[in-house]
Amino acid sequence: MLIRPATSHTLTQCWYTRIHQPGPKRWRDENGTLHAVCRHCEREVHSQGGKSWVLSDGIDLDALATSSSIRFICVTNIADGLVVARYPIERDASPRQVEDFLSEITARHEAGTDGKSLDVRLMGGPKG
């Protein structure tokens, strides 16, 4: 006869979908990154802009990309958290050229239509 424990261990929905939902209590660190606890798996998560949340323990690819010396435009699928495309920007591009290129990429991927499916961001490069 098998004896079953009184509790069953189930996997949370964020284990399947990789989409974490922050709980009501949120806080910011000195870099401006939002932190919270996932309401499903109860692990600490963080977000750069409040749109997509990732686990705080492990490698933060957004932080690595932000600290890159190469500037690029990153198109990310918010629902899946996957990078759709990256477009490098020339080092000597003026701020006006960067804004024009950003607008062109946003139009190409139709990211500005709903604001929920795709996120287009300028990442990396020299600060200043």
Side-chain angles (χ1 to χ4, degrees):
M1 173 190 255
L2 294 174
I3 299 174
R4 292 185 150 185
T7 60
S8 64
H9 300 284
T10 58
L11 297 174
T12 61
Q13 84 174 34
C14 53
W15 188 87
Y16 291 105
T17 62
R18 294 179 295 143
I19 299 172
H20 296 276
Q21 295 180 351
K25 184 179 177 189
R26 299 177 188 183
W27 64 93
R28 287 191 187 273
D29 63 8
E30 62 276 355
N31 298 329
T33 304
L34 281 168
H35 291 270
V37 174
C38 177
R39 64 180 67 198
H40 300 293
C41 65
E42 297 179 355
R43 293 173 69 186
E44 187 174 330
V45 293
H46 70 272
S47 175
Q48 295 293 334
K51 292 182 182 178
S52 62
W53 294 82
V54 294
L55 291 173
S56 291
D57 54 353
I59 297 173
D60 185 2
L61 296 178
D62 281 339
L64 288 174
T66 303
S67 64
S68 171
S69 63
I70 300 170
R71 286 191 306 173
F72 59 92
I73 295 174
C74 185
V75 181
T76 309
N77 184 331
I78 295 173
D80 295 333
L82 300 174
V83 174
V84 175
R86 284 194 179 122
Y87 299 95
I89 298 172
E90 296 180 22
R91 283 192 185 268
D92 57 349
S94 70
R96 178 69 181 151
Q97 289 172 322
V98 172
E99 288 299 321
D100 291 343
F101 192 43
L102 188 62
S103 299
E104 177 188 331
I105 298 303
T106 303
R108 182 183 303 170
H109 290 279
E110 298 178 355
T113 56
D114 61 358
K116 296 180 182 176
S117 59
L118 293 177
D119 182 30
V120 180
R121 287 189 284 171
L122 177 63
M123 302 187 83
K127 307 294 181 243

